[in-house]
Amino acid sequence: MNGKMGVVTDDVAACADQIIKYLDKKVNLTMPLALGKSLKLANEIYRRAKEDPEIKLNILTALSLEKPKGHTDIEKRFLKPIAERIFDGVPEFEYMLDLRDGKLPKNVEIFEFFCKAGANLNDEHSQLRHISSNYTHCVRDGIDNGGNVFAQLLSVREFDGKVMYSMGCNTDVGVEALKTEYHRLREEGRKVVTVGEANINLPFMYGDAVVEKEEYDYILQGEKFNYKLFGAPKDPVAPADHMIGINVSTLVKDGGTIQVGIGALGDAIVAGLIMRNEHNGVYREIIEKAGLLSKNGTLIKKWGDTGVFTQGLYGSSEMFVDAFMQMYKSKILKRKVFDSVPLMKLINNNELSADKIPQDIIDKLIEMKAIHSRVDEDDFNFLIKFGILKKDVKFTENAIIDGGESYPVDLADSGNRIKIRNIIGKELLGGQVILGAFYFGPQSFYKALNDMSEEERQQFGMSGVEKVNQLYGDEELRTLQRKDGRFVNTGMTATLLGSIASDQLQDGRVVSGIGGQYNFVAMAHALRDGRLIMMVKSTKGSGKALKSNIVFSYGHCSVPRHLRDIVVTEYGIADVRGKPDAEVIAAMLNIADSRFQKQLLEQAKKAKKISVDYEIPEEFRNNTPDRINKLLQPYRERGFFQPFPFGTDLKPEEMMLGNSLKVMKNLAAGDPLKLLSGLIMETIRPVPKSAAVFLKYMKLEKPASVKERVMRNMVIFALRNNKMIK
């Protein structure tokens, strides 16, 4: 736009002014999801739009991060001290603050293809402007909607005197936007602008993430851009979540590939895998008591495992989250893959390993026609790149030189092949334990990455979703790398016929967005040794508001029944791929909550989708929360199945209070009379001394109004009802 790419500046105001002027006050600002947004630029352009109604600003993005604030007065009191402590120094998106306050100006619209689950459920502006876009199509759809500014957060480092940048936290859409689409738009004569915002606190990642400043029109860089990163708070893992994690963990093969997401269920899966690896005796005891082997033994034997991880796992996931870091620390995420078809074939055939190169590797590579029998410069570079030859050897037209020794490049001669074994490397280089598209996690996750050496961090590769989320483009290599893939996704509702609703309610309201789920569904079916695992909690709500998440039919579908595969609830595993409908229904009934099984079975019989005389086997009729709690409680007392298996930023009193308020909120929906009677009782009871620390935290130890006295009673009741005080 200015005739020169890669202008580095700390003047965000001047940058915003130039962009607005260049685009004739019609700005369609596109930014990656979650952490990777150019926050300072977005706020500056938004301020201009608020001041000048002639500016038309469309913001096209996903998952605009927000500090937790709460909706009710009691939630706000609880969350405010937490937010002030954990998010101190983290700036906010001003457009989101105004959106939540109903103050968004008419000349500004926000379009998102993904949001935090439930955050926009009752927000009209967001519901009207949700773009239902598959993750791999977001760049295309953003451009089709007029995108003319691409702005993202970058990490920055200096290597040997040269400043380099990485779009590692959101390489997801950056690769396609920068290296393909925006170049094309410029060639077509469209006015477009690319901006990177460099923050030294952002971990510098490798793979396809590394870029030079000339990739952007502007790089915003300076002390004001080195703000504290938004850290994702940990969600507590409930007993039902933990049980789902244990069930899923039995379906993962040692030496295979895994994809998991962020949140409680992702943490539950990894906690189960770590238990399997580090406490295998306890793990086997639990799965035996849960009946997993008796009910799903054949499935687990063929597609899963219950042993320790000797080979380890490789991560193939759009989200590189803290769950993967925990697997890495526990030496589960350790299977390295390489960007070479012949090397991956040898590794998968157990003829080569990442940490030991066999002496006859050259013979094998010549036989596979991976290199020529007379080594040329390309062959030599390949051998050096992957560490097959020692890094300090030199290539000439007729020989490979190692100090004073010379090795002929004509390797058709067996004697020369034996001689060259003297300069074979010890281990393969360039291996990666994960390929991700974006990363996001708590502050401890960012710190762990930043504390690594550059060499160690290079094991965590980053690329675009067009590469991470699908096989297209390099099917043979990606298939070899992603062997025994287990793609684990979450659904809200599952039908008895195996279809899944993940992103939207049947009334049309969007809960989150489809993200990359379709890609992983398709990839799981495309890989001969791959499986899709859909996790669905069996119920939602409590008391009179309790509902089954396993239903006979549902008015929306994210994963259609013809792509059904494996469905997991806290009560078990249903293998429904390629099965006739009656068998699918029977399997789904087996993992439903027993309080709803009879009704679901009657619906299936009425629809003539299962035999009229079919009965659910006795061993599946005790699917209750009480059974799970009784199973897990002895192990919880031994330190397993904790609400925060990988730690939390919350203080003990915050955890106790937060859980109690959550239980009370569920009670309000499920049994309001019990809540009302409990609150009435608190008005005549004395304030217990054990509640003092909690009331002080909520600033309710000396209520100054009737409203505050009511809130004090609510806090006391919540704690008493949850057995945190007497």
Side-chain angles (χ1 to χ4, degrees), residues 597-701:
Q597 285 176 324
K598 181 180 178 181
Q599 175 189 344
L600 290 168
L601 177 58
E602 288 174 354
Q603 286 179 284
K605 288 180 177 180
K606 185 177 180 180
K608 299 182 179 179
K609 293 299 294 183
I610 199 167
S611 175
V612 69
D613 59 355
Y614 178 78
E615 296 296 333
I616 298 170
E618 183 63 34
E619 61 183 323
F620 298 103
R621 295 186 195 174
N622 190 27
N623 293 349
T624 64
D626 185 57
R627 179 173 69 84
I628 287 176
N629 287 327
K630 285 181 178 178
L631 170 65
L632 299 186
Q633 185 56 36
Y635 300 97
R636 294 181 72 179
E637 293 170 1
R638 293 165 59 181
F640 300 107
F641 304 117
Q642 296 303 301
F644 295 96
F646 308 120
T648 176
D649 292 322
L650 298 179
K651 297 176 181 179
E653 63 269 23
E654 291 170 341
M655 287 189 282
M656 296 167 67
L657 183 55
N659 180 256
S660 299
L661 292 175
K662 184 177 180 180
V663 171
M664 183 178 70
K665 187 175 181 179
N666 291 335
L667 185 65
D671 195 346
L673 288 178
K674 181 179 178 181
L675 173 61
L676 181 61
S677 62
L679 291 175
I680 292 172
M681 284 296 296
E682 294 301 340
T683 63
I684 59 176
R685 284 177 168 176
V687 175
K689 292 182 179 180
S690 54
V693 64
F694 303 103
L695 295 176
K696 183 178 180 181
Y697 174 87
M698 297 287 286
K699 293 183 169 54
L700 292 171
E701 68 270 41

Side-chain angles (χ1 to χ4, degrees), residues 5 16 58 70 77 124 166 174 203 244 250 277 331 378 421 425 439 487 538 549 589 591 630 636 655 700 708 725:
M5 301 288 284
N58 290 336
R77 280 178 181 254
E124 183 178 356
S166 168
I244 290 175
T250 66
N277 195 52
K331 295 181 171 53
D378 287 341
R421 294 181 181 183
Y439 66 73
F487 304 101
S538 68
N549 284 329
L589 286 168
I591 63 170
K630 285 181 178 178
R636 294 181 72 179
M655 287 189 282
L700 292 171
E708 287 194 349
I725 61 172

Side-chain angles (χ1 to χ4, degrees), residues 101 535 553 558 598:
D101 289 342
M535 303 179 294
S553 61
S558 308
K598 181 180 178 181

Side-chain angles (χ1 to χ4, degrees), residues 517-559:
Q517 187 171 97
Y518 164 76
N519 292 116
F520 289 102
V521 172
M523 185 158 43
H525 283 281
L527 291 168
R528 181 176 292 275
D529 55 2
R531 296 303 299 262
L532 167 71
I533 301 171
M534 293 299 307
M535 303 179 294
V536 179
K537 290 187 180 182
S538 68
T539 62
K540 59 175 174 282
S542 62
K544 295 177 181 178
L546 183 72
K547 294 182 179 179
S548 176
N549 284 329
I550 309 294
V551 297
F552 180 72
S553 61
Y554 197 71
H556 172 67
C557 172
S558 308
V559 181

Side-chain angles (χ1 to χ4, degrees), residues 419-482:
K419 186 178 180 182
I420 204 172
R421 294 181 181 183
N422 293 328
I423 55 172
I424 296 296
K426 293 183 178 180
E427 60 182 9
L428 292 177
L429 302 178
Q432 295 180 337
V433 297
I434 187 174
L435 185 66
F438 75 92
Y439 66 73
F440 183 44
Q443 295 294 338
S444 58
F445 173 69
Y446 305 142
K447 184 178 187 303
L449 284 171
N450 275 324
D451 287 348
M452 290 178 180
S453 66
E454 301 298 324
E455 182 180 12
E456 184 179 17
R457 207 181 314 118
Q458 286 177 24
Q459 297 177 96
F460 303 90
M462 304 297 294
S463 191
V465 285
E466 70 278 4
K467 180 177 180 180
V468 177
N469 287 26
Q470 56 194 8
L471 300 176
Y472 312 133
D474 206 348
E475 290 89 340
E476 184 177 16
L477 177 61
R478 295 175 195 174
T479 298
L480 289 165
Q481 292 174 333
R482 300 169 191 182

Side-chain angles (χ1 to χ4, degrees), residues 340-588:
S340 165
V341 168
L343 293 184
M344 288 309 307
K345 284 182 176 178
L346 291 172
I347 290 170
N348 289 358
N349 289 334
N350 297 317
E351 298 178 62
L352 174 65
S353 67
D355 57 1
K356 186 176 182 181
I357 301 174
Q359 286 290 290
D360 64 346
I361 183 66
I362 298 294
D363 304 70
K364 294 178 185 293
L365 292 172
I366 291 173
E367 183 181 350
M368 297 172 73
K369 299 183 179 179
I371 62 173
H372 299 94
S373 57
R374 182 179 178 84
V375 174
D376 61 21
E377 191 168 4
D378 287 341
D379 295 329
F380 176 79
N381 290 336
F382 166 80
L383 296 171
I384 290 293
K385 174 183 177 182
F386 291 106
I388 296 167
L389 292 181
K390 291 162 53 177
K391 66 178 181 179
D392 52 352
V393 298
K394 308 296 182 185
F395 177 80
T396 68
E397 187 176 348
N398 296 309
I400 297 172
I401 309 299
D402 178 28
E405 290 291 325
S406 177
Y407 299 88
V409 296
D410 182 6
L411 300 181
D413 182 280
S414 60
N416 290 343
R417 292 200 301 275
I418 292 174
K419 186 178 180 182
I420 204 172
R421 294 181 181 183
N422 293 328
I423 55 172
I424 296 296
K426 293 183 178 180
E427 60 182 9
L428 292 177
L429 302 178
Q432 295 180 337
V433 297
I434 187 174
L435 185 66
F438 75 92
Y439 66 73
F440 183 44
Q443 295 294 338
S444 58
F445 173 69
Y446 305 142
K447 184 178 187 303
L449 284 171
N450 275 324
D451 287 348
M452 290 178 180
S453 66
E454 301 298 324
E455 182 180 12
E456 184 179 17
R457 207 181 314 118
Q458 286 177 24
Q459 297 177 96
F460 303 90
M462 304 297 294
S463 191
V465 285
E466 70 278 4
K467 180 177 180 180
V468 177
N469 287 26
Q470 56 194 8
L471 300 176
Y472 312 133
D474 206 348
E475 290 89 340
E476 184 177 16
L477 177 61
R478 295 175 195 174
T479 298
L480 289 165
Q481 292 174 333
R482 300 169 191 182
K483 74 182 186 77
D484 291 314
R486 299 295 176 265
F487 304 101
V488 191
N489 279 248
T490 304
M492 301 183 300
T493 302
T495 72
L496 285 184
L497 289 168
S499 64
I500 308 288
S502 306
D503 63 316
Q504 177 188 303
L505 302 179
Q506 60 183 346
D507 64 10
R509 286 181 296 162
V510 176
V511 175
S512 54
I514 196 62
Q517 187 171 97
Y518 164 76
N519 292 116
F520 289 102
V521 172
M523 185 158 43
H525 283 281
L527 291 168
R528 181 176 292 275
D529 55 2
R531 296 303 299 262
L532 167 71
I533 301 171
M534 293 299 307
M535 303 179 294
V536 179
K537 290 187 180 182
S538 68
T539 62
K540 59 175 174 282
S542 62
K544 295 177 181 178
L546 183 72
K547 294 182 179 179
S548 176
N549 284 329
I550 309 294
V551 297
F552 180 72
S553 61
Y554 197 71
H556 172 67
C557 172
S558 308
V559 181
R561 56 183 286 203
H562 62 271
L563 292 177
R564 60 197 180 198
D565 197 340
I566 294 175
V567 182
V568 174
T569 71
E570 64 268 39
Y571 298 121
I573 304 166
D575 180 9
V576 295
R577 189 179 76 176
K579 303 288 177 64
D581 284 355
E583 290 184 27
V584 172
I585 290 172
M588 293 296 292

